[in-house]
Amino acid sequence: MPRTTLTISSKNYSSWSLRGWLMAKLAGIKFAEVVVEPNDADARAEILLLSPSILVPCLTYAELKVWDTLAIGEFLNEVAPKAGLLPKDKAKRAHCRSVCGEMHSGFVSLRQALPMNIRAEFPGFKIWSKAQADIERILVIWRECLSAYGGPFLFGEVSMADAMYAPVVSRFRTYDVKLDGPAKAYADRIWDLPAMREWREAALAEKEEIEELEVEF
């Protein structure tokens, strides 16, 4: 039987790779990692938001290739429905898709001002007003979901939405974004997921640096 692979880029810098990888972990499928080095021109362009398309991560499953994190999540929900990447309830599922889509296509100012960098710490980081507006919107999404579905994750059980917002949790820690109440408890819960710990340990072990993302700006 053909092996399943997931092509990813840097675990320290690539938020899209983290989303796809975490979805595959949550789906419970076995896969091998194919790592594209961050100094690869295409991977670097994607990480620095200079590419018009996001082709990493890419899941190869039974000779089928699926890229784009939303497509990967939808596909994994089909092949591993018991994992619950999408809620079974129709209304709840539609809500989940909506908040995933908003993360997928929005929050540009947050991405630009607070790029993912797990190894870095910037205490007291000054956040631009447009990025702050993105942060406030994300916190509204978190609070509404946690209130509507009772936690402990956005839609009760861990889902595709949690994978989509996991890099935000990392950014909040890197750039010292203050959280409290249910939002802080939720962020801590995501950070402490076994899969997130595994990803974080690998990110901390990476030696490659992208200079543009190491400057305290």
Side-chain angles (χ1 to χ4, degrees):
M1 183 176 179
R3 71 172 186 162
T4 299
T5 63
L6 184 72
T7 302
I8 60 174
S9 185
S10 167
K11 289 187 174 179
N12 187 53
Y13 299 112
S14 179
S15 58
W16 292 111
S17 292
L18 170 55
R19 291 182 179 104
W21 185 91
L22 191 53
M23 288 178 190
K25 284 286 186 177
L26 295 177
I29 67 167
K30 293 183 179 180
F31 63 94
E33 295 178 14
V34 178
V35 179
V36 178
E37 297 300 327
N39 58 7
D40 174 88
D42 291 335
R44 187 182 180 86
E46 290 178 349
I47 291 171
L48 294 176
L49 307 180
L50 300 175
S51 173
S53 61
I54 303 294
L55 302 179
V56 175
C58 179
L59 179 71
T60 302
Y61 183 94
E63 300 183 348
L64 295 172
K65 287 188 178 294
V66 187
W67 62 95
D68 183 281
T69 47
L70 285 184
I72 290 172
E74 292 280 355
F75 179 78
L76 289 170
N77 187 64
E78 291 181 1
V79 300
K82 291 183 179 179
L85 284 180
L86 287 171
K88 293 181 180 179
D89 177 78
K90 184 178 180 180
K92 198 173 177 181
R93 188 166 63 249
H95 189 186
C96 182
R97 284 179 167 135
S98 294
V99 300
C100 288
E102 188 170 352
M103 171 50 68
H104 189 269
S105 61
F107 306 116
V108 175
S109 295
L110 176 73
R111 300 181 202 281
Q112 293 174 337
L114 282 67
M116 192 168 94
N117 187 338
I118 290 175
R119 292 196 304 257
E121 292 184 8
F122 299 123
F125 187 82
K126 184 174 177 57
I127 299 171
W128 304 346
S129 59
K130 288 185 177 179
Q132 185 62 42
D134 282 351
I135 290 171
E136 293 303 323
R137 173 57 189 157
I138 287 168
L139 293 178
V140 167
I141 291 171
W142 287 7
R143 290 175 185 132
E144 287 180 348
C145 288
L146 292 169
S147 175
Y149 306 114
F153 298 99
L154 292 180
F155 289 87
E157 300 297 326
V158 67
S159 72
M160 179 173 161
D162 301 299
M164 290 297 292
Y165 284 84
V168 170
V169 172
S170 173
R171 286 178 163 101
F172 285 177
R173 285 180 172 263
T174 296
Y175 298 97
D176 195 26
V177 176
K178 305 301 184 187
L179 302 174
D180 57 21
K184 183 181 186 305
Y186 170 71
D188 290 346
R189 194 171 295 113
I190 293 296
W191 194 246
D192 289 336
L193 285 172
M196 281 292 287
R197 288 200 299 269
E198 181 182 345
W199 179 275
R200 190 162 68 248
E201 288 170 3
L204 294 174
E206 285 185 356
K207 299 186 182 303
E208 296 83 3
E209 290 189 355
I210 296 179
E211 185 177 350
E212 296 92 324
L213 302 181
E214 295 295 338
V215 177
E216 196 166 347
F217 52 90

